[in-house]
Every structure is written in C-alpha cells, then in structure tokens.
C-alpha cells in the first residue's frame, strides 16, 4: 500500500473510519484500505487483538480480489501483530511471514519489492525481540536494499535500524 493511500484514511478520525468501514459505496479495495488503516491505528494504540481483526478483514477482501501483493502485505502485518500480542506464537509468525514472501517471490515489481521489504522488516522486528540481533540486522539490511530511499517502508526500516543500534550499543 503506498503512503498516499494510507494517509488518505489515517488522517481521518476513528469514528469516521468506523463509518467508512460499513460504507457500501466504497469499492472492495477501498474497504480493505479502510480496514488496514483502522488496523494500524489499533496497532499504534497497542490494541493487537483489534489490529489483527481489521487486518484479517482486509486480508479476506484481498483474497476475494485475488491481489497477491496486498495478501502478502496483510500476512506480514498479521504475523507481526500476532507475535506482539503473544510471543509464544513464534511458529505462526514465521509461517505467516514465509507465506507472505512465497506468494510474491516471482514478482519483481516496485510494489512487490516494497512488500518484500515489509516482510523482511517484520522478520527483523521479531528477531530483535527474540534477541537474535545479528539475524535482525540482516533482515533490516535486506529490507533496506529492497526499497527506494523516498518510500515509507524505507523510513520504517531506518527507524527500526536506529532503535536497533541505539539499544545494542
């Protein structure tokens, strides 16, 4: 999901987003974008259960639309949110991340590369939390190499690398 689309919905008030979620005049893609936006808001508020629920809704819509890139995007964040909710879900987390990466392995488009970077970023975050610092750094570097310097995912990677270096030095 590009940053313009994301911020189109993230700058709305939560109640407006809730109403938009049920708006039947929106296309399926827009409905899924609303769900991911609400999911991000729930994630930022540390409400992992709700974040998971909204990303599952978006995932289901993208499954209907057969949009492999967006499916992989949702799987990456579902993996991360499930892990952050319950760190004992490590096997489920890795399974979702592997599924996300596998589903777009043969796609070299810019969108797919951003999603691959997202998968590597999520892997890095999980490995960092597990104390596997060298693996985390490798994933962050892979994510950084997969995307362009003016993208939102690139900023997220640099943010996480900064946290990594701050906390490990």
């Amino acid at each position: 999901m590009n940053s313009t689309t994301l911020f189109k919905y993230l700058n709305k008030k939560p109640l407006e987003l809730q109403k938009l979620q049920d708006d039947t005049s929106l296309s399926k893609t827009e409905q899924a974008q609303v769900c991911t936006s609400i999911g991000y808001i729930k994630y930022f508020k540390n409400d992992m259960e709700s974040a998971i629920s909204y990303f599952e809704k978006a995932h289901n819509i993208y499954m209907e639309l057969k949009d492999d890139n967006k499916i992989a995007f949702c799987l990456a964040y579902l993996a991360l949110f499930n892990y952050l909710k319950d760190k004992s879900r490590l096997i489920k987390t890795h399974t979702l991340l592997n599924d996300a990466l596998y589903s777009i392995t043969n796609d070299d488009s810019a969108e797919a590369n951003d999603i691959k970077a997202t998968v590597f970023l999520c892997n890095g975050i999980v490995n960092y939390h597990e104390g596997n610092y060298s693996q985390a750094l490798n994933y962050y570097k892979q994510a950084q190499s997969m995307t362009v310097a003016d993208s939102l995912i690139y900023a997220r990677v640099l943010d996480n690398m900064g946290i990594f270096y701050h906390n490990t030095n």
Side-chain angles (χ1 to χ4, degrees):
M1 173 177 301
N2 68 42
S3 57
T4 306
T5 303
L6 175 62
F7 290 118
K8 173 181 172 183
Y9 294 109
L10 275 182
N11 66 10
K12 294 197 177 292
K13 295 177 183 169
L15 286 176
E16 290 178 62
L17 280 173
Q18 294 290 99
K19 290 178 186 173
L20 275 175
Q21 180 191 354
D22 300 323
D23 187 343
T24 56
S25 70
L26 293 177
S27 70
K28 288 282 190 186
T29 300
E30 290 172 320
Q31 290 172 0
Q33 291 168 345
V34 168
C35 287
T36 58
S37 295
I38 296 171
Y40 275 125
I41 291 168
K42 298 299 183 180
Y43 161 68
F44 293 135
K45 291 183 175 186
N46 207 26
D47 181 358
M48 293 305 149
E49 191 67 40
S50 294
I52 291 167
S53 175
Y54 282 105
F55 266 79
E56 284 174 343
K57 288 177 187 178
H59 176 262
N60 291 338
I61 293 169
Y62 289 130
M63 290 289 288
E64 282 179 43
L65 297 173
K66 299 180 181 171
D67 187 333
D68 289 340
N69 286 331
K70 298 295 193 294
I71 291 167
F73 172 82
C74 288
L75 288 173
Y77 280 103
L78 282 168
L80 180 61
F81 298 161
N82 271 287
Y83 175 77
L84 293 173
K85 178 183 175 209
D86 181 356
K87 293 192 174 43
S88 70
R89 295 180 176 184
L90 191 58
I91 292 172
K92 180 178 184 171
T93 298
H94 285 299
T95 301
L96 289 169
L97 288 169
N98 288 336
D99 288 350
L101 196 56
Y102 179 77
S103 69
I104 55 172
T105 298
N106 296 322
D107 187 344
D108 290 325
S109 68
E111 180 184 23
N113 284 339
D114 275 354
I115 295 167
K116 289 174 192 174
T118 300
V119 174
F120 290 132
L121 173 62
C122 291
N123 258 313
I125 294 168
V126 169
N127 277 282
Y128 175 80
H129 282 280
E130 287 293 307
N132 302 325
Y133 300 123
S134 63
Q135 273 188 309
L137 185 58
N138 285 336
Y139 279 120
Y140 291 149
K141 287 180 179 180
Q142 279 183 289
Q144 186 179 19
S145 72
M146 295 295 307
T147 189
V148 294
D150 65 348
S151 69
L152 183 59
I153 186 64
Y154 191 81
R156 288 182 185 154
V157 171
L158 291 181
D159 183 45
N160 278 276
M161 287 178 88
I163 292 167
F164 172 87
Y165 284 120
H166 176 75
N167 290 335
T168 57
N169 288 322

